[in-house]
Amino acid sequence: MTRPVGLGLAVALGATLSFGVAATSASASAERSATSVAAQPVKVYELVTKDGGFFYTASESEKQTAITKHGWSTTQTPLYYVSRTPFAGGKPLYRLRWEKSASYIVTASAAERERLVTSGGFRYDGILGYAPGSARAGGEVKVFRLSNNNKWRLAIESHSEKILANEPGWKLDGPLLYQFGPGN
C-alpha cells in the first residue's frame, strides 16, 4: 500500500532549533551532515486547488500538471525540503485526498492514515517523501499542521502564528514533523 507518488509536503524555512550545549550542537550538526547526504533533500511546493484546498509536491512535473491541467496555483510560501528516499531517523509522509473535493492532508502517522482511509472519506495518495523525525535526525525546522473546515496546511511555528492571527477559522492540529534546511 506504500506506493511512491511524486514527493510532496510544504515546510517553511527560516526558524532554527537551539541544540543547547556546544558538544550536543556539534554532535547534532555532524549527524545532520551525514543524514542530509544520505537523504538527498529536495524542494517541495505548496499549491492551492480550485476548491481552496492545499496540495504539496516536490515533483516538478506533478506541480506543472497541477497548474496546467487542473488550474491550481502555487503559493508564495517559501520552498521547503524533504527527502525522496528513506534514511536513518526519517519518517514517511503520507498524502491523502479528501474524497469530497480537491483538499489534501499530510500525516506522518500510519495509524492516522489508516483511520482516515478506513473512514471512507479519504483516498491514500502514497508516500510523499521522508522527513527527519527529530532535530537529531537532520531536521532544522519544526513543522505544524493546521486545519480549517476540511482544509489542511503545513507551516513552521512563526507562519502558523500568522495564519492563526490573520486568517479566521484555522486551528492548530499540532506538530507534524521536522524539515531539512536549504543547506543540507
Side-chain angles (χ1 to χ4, degrees):
M1 183 156 181
T2 22
R3 60 180 172 82
V5 292
L7 279 169
L9 166 71
V11 190
L13 302 173
T16 58
L17 297 174
S18 170
F19 292 104
V21 197
T24 305
S25 179
S27 172
S29 181
E31 281 188 35
R32 263 197 321 279
S33 294
T35 300
S36 63
V37 170
Q40 303 170 353
V42 294
K43 293 178 184 178
V44 297
Y45 307 91
E46 179 182 71
L47 289 90
V48 177
T49 71
K50 284 187 173 184
D51 294 334
F54 291 86
F55 176 78
Y56 299 96
T57 186
S59 165
E60 187 64 35
S61 63
E62 187 175 44
K63 178 184 103 173
Q64 289 306 320
T65 297
I67 293 168
T68 58
K69 185 177 177 183
H70 302 295
W72 299 354
S73 59
T74 55
T75 68
Q76 295 303 309
T77 300
L79 300 178
Y80 314 114
Y81 298 84
V82 296
S83 174
R84 292 183 191 274
T85 58
F87 60 93
K91 296 188 330 186
L93 301 169
Y94 310 105
R95 183 175 71 195
L96 296 96
R97 180 184 170 137
W98 189 42
E99 292 289 0
K100 294 185 180 181
S101 73
S103 188
Y104 294 80
I105 186 170
V106 174
T107 183
S109 166
E112 181 179 37
R113 176 197 69 199
E114 291 306 313
R115 182 178 53 78
L116 291 171
V117 170
T118 302
S119 77
F122 291 84
R123 181 186 74 228
Y124 176 55
D125 245 10
I127 293 178
L128 304 171
Y130 299 84
S134 67
R136 297 203 86 187
E140 292 186 7
V141 179
K142 199 170 202 176
V143 179
F144 298 84
R145 187 174 70 199
L146 296 94
S147 59
N148 181 357
N149 195 26
N150 296 314
K151 294 178 185 168
W152 301 269
R153 67 190 302 188
L154 305 174
I156 61 169
E157 187 170 10
S158 61
H159 192 209
S160 295
E161 290 168 358
K162 288 178 186 173
I163 292 168
L164 294 169
N166 300 313
E167 299 180 34
W170 287 99
K171 69 177 182 132
L172 188 63
D173 289 348
L176 180 65
L177 58 108
Y178 286 83
Q179 68 119 10
F180 297 107
N184 290 41

